[in-house]
Amino acid sequence: SNMTIWRLLFVASFSLADGYQYILLNKALGCTGDIHCWNYDDPSTMTAESMINITARFDSCNSTTRRLGLSTQISVLDPNTPKWTEFLLKMLNTSQETKTPIGITLDAFEFWTSRADLWNHWNQSLPGYNASNVLNVEAEGWNFATDAFRISWRAWGSQFRVAPHPNLASLQVRDAYAKALQPALRIVAQWYSQLSIDDQYLLAYVKPVWEVWIGTNYYNYPNSSDYVNLDPTGDPKMGIKAAVQAGYAAVCTQLKRCSGTPPSVEELDAIVSNYLGWAGSLARNVGLPANKVMGHAGANFPELPVSENKVNYNSAFGGLNNATLPGWSFYKHAYNPALAANLSAALDELPGTLWGASEWYYKGGNEGTAREQWYQAFDNTLRYRNNGLVDVFNWEMLQTNSDAMQALKQVLSED
């Protein structure tokens, strides 16, 4: 069974990577208003000062087992490849120069607007049109000719339109993703291979994925194709609670079930697990070591509002795969991952393996003063099972919260 395969592959079961637990502060995409913002299309923003400006605030913290570092994401399908490649190289070199550990997310899933050649299956007058692209996008039913999405929405901060939800099992989609991911992963692997053993801690992790789950970062309202040619200001505003089920395309492609009941949680988990394993193997195949390749799934712990349409979403089991350390996003459950549904059961499948809070921000749930609540959230996460990572999303928000900053200093002074 799959479970047995995971156990065999992780039989060496990593204790802490390099013996360290990483707390990373994520520098936001689209950051504005701060002279130290990073923009991967502008390599000049990657400076030693932009790293030291953050890390110096924690210089007095003396944990021997916990390391503070910085993280960010690069969208590898961004057509400005020379610019973001230069940014990535500069990030690696600046990490080495300033001795700042880094986490790098190389993402193909979240942003593929530039790839109309893969998703435009309906509009002959726009670039990229190909009727067969219908198999590269998700759908709200089994009749892809009518049910395939032409648009999707995302709510990061506020709702905005995105290109249609990709079919994670489409070989054409994966081929395009791989062509963009592989050169970037090679750059990181090459840099890592020249580090002295004493400096290998500078690579906290590489994530070849970013919060992968189905029907969430791309959600769809009923009859969503009706909105494609309309002004976005008239879009529905109900949010994900009003979304329809997605996953039909991937279930048909990968699991060969193309009719009947809607995709189940177990089927959605099988799709995400397979995708994470595929992306993770790209990282492993260029020579990155197993304990440096972190996964990142979304799971409804719950993290989402109650669905009005009884939509199924991924569980913690979707994060398990045969090539990455398992990682998930925690917002509603950042206060205490021990209470996240199915997380413990999922981790039981990989005894002793490192896991990551690959995206994390405390949103309430603990008791005491604000500082005590933040401390408890960090502590509950770092001490749960074999945690190796807490990646705080985002630094720009955290730095304005003095209670959170004080709690973090305390956590970074403990082992």
Side-chain angles (χ1 to χ4, degrees):
S1 76
N2 275 348
M3 298 299 183
T4 318
I5 294 166
W6 289 325
R7 287 208 185 96
L8 289 172
L9 282 157
F10 280 93
V11 78
S13 105
F14 315 106
S15 57
L16 292 179
D18 305 322
Y20 296 122
Q21 259 184 320
Y22 290 98
I23 301 174
L24 301 182
L25 305 174
N26 190 67
K27 299 268 282 176
L29 286 185
C31 164
T32 54
D34 175 342
I35 57 163
H36 297 300
C37 282
W38 286 349
N39 173 356
Y40 64 66
D41 280 336
D42 179 2
S44 72
T45 62
M46 175 51 68
T47 62
E49 175 54 30
S50 70
M51 290 193 178
I52 296 164
N53 172 262
I54 297 174
T55 57
R57 305 181 202 201
F58 302 91
D59 275 349
S60 63
C61 303
N62 55 6
S63 175
T64 58
T65 59
R66 293 174 178 171
R67 289 270 187 181
L68 178 76
L70 302 177
S71 68
T72 197
Q73 296 73 233
I74 294 175
S75 179
V76 295
L77 295 181
D78 185 307
N80 206 343
T81 311
K83 284 276 188 269
W84 65 250
T85 301
E86 188 186 338
F87 177 93
L88 174 60
L89 283 161
K90 262 186 103 170
M91 184 177 180
L92 298 167
N93 293 331
T94 308
S95 156
Q96 203 168 349
E97 177 194 334
T98 62
K99 297 289 187 254
T100 306
I102 50 172
I104 302 165
T105 295
L106 299 169
D107 170 67
F109 168 65
E110 302 289 6
F111 296 99
W112 70 324
T113 312
S114 64
R115 297 305 304 266
D117 59 306
L118 293 170
W119 54 253
N120 179 6
H121 58 90
W122 72 93
N123 193 331
Q124 298 183 46
S125 62
L126 285 179
Y129 170 75
N130 188 329
S132 68
N133 285 340
V134 73
L135 300 175
N136 294 332
V137 301
E138 264 308 335
E140 59 186 315
W142 300 117
N143 184 0
F144 302 141
T146 56
D147 296 339
F149 297 138
R150 300 179 179 188
I151 185 177
S152 294
W153 286 267
R154 180 175 302 164
W156 283 359
S158 57
Q159 176 177 278
F160 56 98
R161 289 182 173 192
V162 286
H165 192 318
N167 173 357
L168 286 175
S170 158
L171 295 181
Q172 204 181 346
V173 169
R174 287 194 182 187
D175 189 50
Y177 284 7
K179 281 187 171 68
L181 283 165
Q182 280 165 326
L185 288 165
R186 276 192 202 101
I187 288 169
V188 181
Q190 204 169 346
W191 173 77
Y192 182 77
S193 71
Q194 57 81 43
L195 291 174
S196 71
I197 289 178
D198 287 346
D199 275 354
Q200 286 179 348
Y201 76 92
L202 292 172
L203 183 61
Y205 67 77
V206 182
K207 264 175 32 194
V209 293
W210 184 10
E211 199 180 69
V212 180
W213 50 339
I214 291 173
T216 45
N217 294 341
Y218 295 85
Y219 61 84
N220 279 73
Y221 293 109
N223 307 310
S224 59
S225 294
D226 295 353
Y227 297 95
V228 174
N229 299 319
L230 302 177
D231 190 305
T233 54
D235 287 353
K237 300 287 191 284
M238 298 87 73
I240 197 166
K241 69 176 189 291
V244 296
Q245 183 70 56
Y248 291 87
V251 167
C252 180
T253 304
Q254 182 183 311
L255 304 179
K256 309 295 183 222
R257 183 169 85 79
C258 304
S259 63
T261 54
S264 67
V265 173
E266 292 73 19
E267 287 173 320
L268 297 174
D269 285 347
I271 301 299
V272 168
S273 169
N274 180 281
Y275 175 80
L276 295 172
W278 169 82
S281 64
L282 294 179
R284 298 291 306 280
N285 290 343
V286 298
L288 286 160
N291 66 334
K292 297 291 190 181
V293 181
M294 180 61 74
H296 188 181
N300 199 16
F301 288 135
E303 289 283 338
L304 303 171
V306 174
S307 167
E308 294 171 358
N309 299 316
K310 297 192 164 50
V311 171
N312 289 322
Y313 292 107
N314 286 98
S315 82
F317 285 98
L320 303 182
N321 68 86
N322 61 12
T324 78
L325 299 170
W328 296 268
S329 291
F330 296 87
Y331 286 99
K332 285 185 183 175
H333 280 78
Y335 77 104
N336 191 355
L339 301 178
N342 288 313
L343 181 62
S344 181
L347 291 172
D348 284 344
E349 296 295 337
L350 299 173
T353 297
L354 270 182
W355 69 277
S358 298
E359 189 167 325
W360 184 100
Y361 202 87
Y362 176 60
K363 296 284 191 184
N366 290 329
E367 292 175 0
T369 64
R371 179 184 172 174
E372 287 165 347
Q373 290 183 44
W374 271 92
Y375 172 80
Q376 202 58 60
F378 276 120
D379 195 65
N380 286 343
T381 307
L382 289 159
R383 295 194 193 280
Y384 184 62
R385 307 284 290 252
N386 199 13
N387 176 275
L389 166 71
V390 174
D391 200 342
V392 181
F393 272 59
N394 285 304
W395 161 248
E396 288 77 13
M397 191 151 70
L398 187 85
Q399 68 168 322
T400 65
N401 185 326
S402 60
D403 294 303
M405 290 287 284
Q406 289 305 314
L408 179 53
K409 286 176 181 170
Q410 185 180 347
V411 164
L412 284 166
S413 300
E414 298 173 351
D415 290 337

